[in-house]
Amino acid sequence: MCKDSFDKFCWALLAVALSVLVAVLVLNGGRDNKSGSGPNKALEREMAYYARVELINKLYGPVDKLRSAGSNQEALLKLDELNRKYPGEAHGHILQGLILQNLGAPDEAIASFVEGIRLNGDYVDDKSPLSRRREIQRLVDTSAKDITARIAANPGNRTLAGQLQKINYLKSRLAGGCE
């Protein structure tokens, strides 16, 4: 079989290649990276999402307690502080919308909801632990009737037209539309 030096060289090269292949398989654990990392990445994303939800509940918990206790003014002050500290966080805008809705300021509440939903659409998703879909839907339903009556009384008002546009945005997001 090994008649000359070329044959010996080929057999040696084949042995080295096989040993490298075995070493790679042993070090990799016999797993394919693509199939092994898919479920792990999904699990990591889910864990990060729930960790984020817990952090939001911890940060905004005092505001929610104040709101539930009826101290809306204090809750707005605390919320303003948190919104300045975390400007890209949607939860502050959603809570602000809920507080403004309780205070009887539906136009400002709608603006806060729009800003919050633009930052994070989970607040209109029924399956999300952050969902505030029912509250937003209730406000949109009552405000849509009110705004159409106000526009009919004053058709040239651009502020009212902008408010109707925000209501329509919320309606589309509640219906399952995306940005």
Side-chain angles (χ1 to χ4, degrees), residues 64-72:
D64 216 13
K65 286 179 185 174
L66 287 170
R67 184 181 70 87
S68 298
S71 303
N72 290 322

Side-chain angles (χ1 to χ4, degrees), residues 116-159:
I117 291 172
R118 282 195 174 137
L119 290 171
N120 187 350
D122 288 347
Y123 292 95
V124 292
D125 183 10
D126 275 335
K127 297 174 185 170
S128 172
L130 299 173
S131 180
R132 301 295 179 144
R133 184 179 183 86
R134 281 183 277 130
E135 295 95 338
I136 296 170
Q137 183 70 55
R138 194 173 333 127
L139 178 65
V140 166
D141 291 343
T142 58
S143 295
K145 294 173 188 173
D146 179 53
I147 200 78
T148 53
R150 288 168 48 196
I151 287 176
N154 193 357
N157 191 333
R158 290 185 188 202
T159 305

Side-chain angles (χ1 to χ4, degrees), residues 154-168:
N154 193 357
N157 191 333
R158 290 185 188 202
T159 305
L160 293 176
Q163 194 66 15
L164 182 62
Q165 187 177 12
K166 289 176 184 174
I167 289 172
N168 288 335

Side-chain angles (χ1 to χ4, degrees), residues 41-109:
K41 288 197 184 250
L43 180 63
E44 287 175 12
R45 275 194 304 269
E46 188 173 341
M47 287 175 58
Y49 179 75
Y50 284 111
R52 182 175 176 273
V53 169
E54 286 300 315
L55 178 64
I56 285 172
N57 289 335
K58 183 179 176 186
L59 288 174
Y60 292 96
V63 175
D64 216 13
K65 286 179 185 174
L66 287 170
R67 184 181 70 87
S68 298
S71 303
N72 290 322
Q73 299 298 332
E74 292 177 44
L76 278 175
L77 289 173
K78 179 72 174 166
L79 192 58
D80 185 47
E81 177 185 321
L82 287 171
N83 281 342
R84 277 187 268 124
K85 193 172 183 180
Y86 305 104
E89 181 55 52
H91 197 74
H93 298 288
I94 299 298
L95 281 178
Q96 185 177 21
L98 292 172
I99 293 168
L100 290 170
Q101 183 180 4
N102 288 342
L103 289 173
D107 293 346
E108 291 81 6

